[in-house]
Amino acid sequence: MYDPTVARLTYRALLGRRRALILGALPFLLIMIAVVVRGLAGADDQTAVDVLGGLGLATMVPIIGVIAGTGAIGPEIDDGSVVYLLSKPLKRPTIILTKLIVAIAVTMVFSAVPTLIAGLILNGNGQQIAVAYTVAALVASIAYAALFLLLGTVSRHAVVFGLVYALVWEALFGSLVPGARTLSVQQWSLAVAHKVASGDLVTSDVGLTTATVLLVLVTVLATWYAGQKLRTLKLAGEE
């Protein structure tokens, strides 16, 4: 269910010069803000939670997920080069699963690593806050990559829809509308972070069991459906 050639092509597409610069911009910004905040306010646990939660988990992680998830397959469908893959003796679910693994890996590297660095800068991992948000970023990376890979498979406007979800649903409705928080990858990952962190600074509106079930369910269903949608794509010679 994993093809090295597909993985290599996907990594090359995601980590090209222009896309790599875009992927690296938000992590760089998070770390720079952490440096400035630490210099101005000193080490403070609540400040670390505000920065890592507000800028890191709520904004940086989903946007990186959008770039990596949609970029793993969307451009190939748009420009027609996906025909090259579909013409090979590869099962289409294998293509999807391989691209998902690559998208997850890229999202994790560009979100979890800078989250850990920023957390260590902000408060030296006091109350396990840096580690908690790093784990949350890792968990969220899996679900976001699956969701946005699905979007890249079903829509030519996947980036737009992904950004609407990330910035409007997760960041806006997720913080203002209590009911929307239950259907938020951010809240699900925060439930995991709450379990890792010491104290009560890291909170979630979703219980750990519910969050775990929803994370697994969304990831599996999104991956399965993306595979099914790719099956329906017809080569020009097949029509």
Side-chain angles (χ1 to χ4, degrees), residues 5 17 23 36 47 56-57 71 82 99 101 108 136 144 148-150 157 167 182 185 187 194 196 204 207 234:
T5 301
R17 181 176 300 177
L23 283 169
V36 172
T47 300
L57 194 61
V82 72
K99 287 182 173 293
I101 292 171
M108 284 181 171
Y144 282 134
F148 298 134
L149 180 66
L150 172 61
H157 307 289
L167 299 178
T182 306
V185 175
Q187 291 297 323
H194 174 71
V196 175
S204 173
K234 299 292 185 180

Side-chain angles (χ1 to χ4, degrees), residues 7-147:
R8 185 173 64 253
L9 293 172
T10 307
Y11 275 119
R12 186 179 301 171
L14 287 179
L15 300 178
R17 181 176 300 177
R18 185 177 67 176
R19 197 177 295 273
L21 288 174
I22 297 174
L23 283 169
L26 279 175
F28 178 78
L29 178 62
L30 175 65
I31 292 173
M32 289 300 99
I33 289 176
V35 171
V36 172
V37 170
R38 176 62 185 266
L40 294 176
D44 180 77
D45 293 342
Q46 184 60 58
T47 300
V49 168
D50 292 340
V51 174
L52 296 179
L55 179 58
L57 194 61
T59 304
M60 180 189 73
V61 180
I63 290 179
I64 290 175
V66 170
I67 297 170
T70 61
I73 195 169
E76 292 177 315
I77 294 177
D78 290 342
D79 63 20
S81 60
V82 72
V83 171
Y84 169 78
L85 288 179
L86 300 184
S87 65
K88 299 298 180 182
L90 289 172
K91 294 181 179 179
R92 298 186 184 187
T94 297
I95 297 174
I96 288 294
L97 186 59
T98 300
K99 287 182 173 293
L100 175 63
I101 292 171
V102 173
I104 289 173
V106 170
T107 306
M108 284 181 171
V109 168
F110 282 91
S111 61
V113 174
T115 296
L116 178 60
I117 295 172
L120 293 175
I121 292 172
L122 285 165
N123 77 332
N125 196 36
Q127 296 195 55
Q128 294 292 308
I129 289 173
V131 171
Y133 274 99
T134 300
V135 172
L138 290 171
V139 170
S141 294
I142 299 172
Y144 282 134
L147 281 172

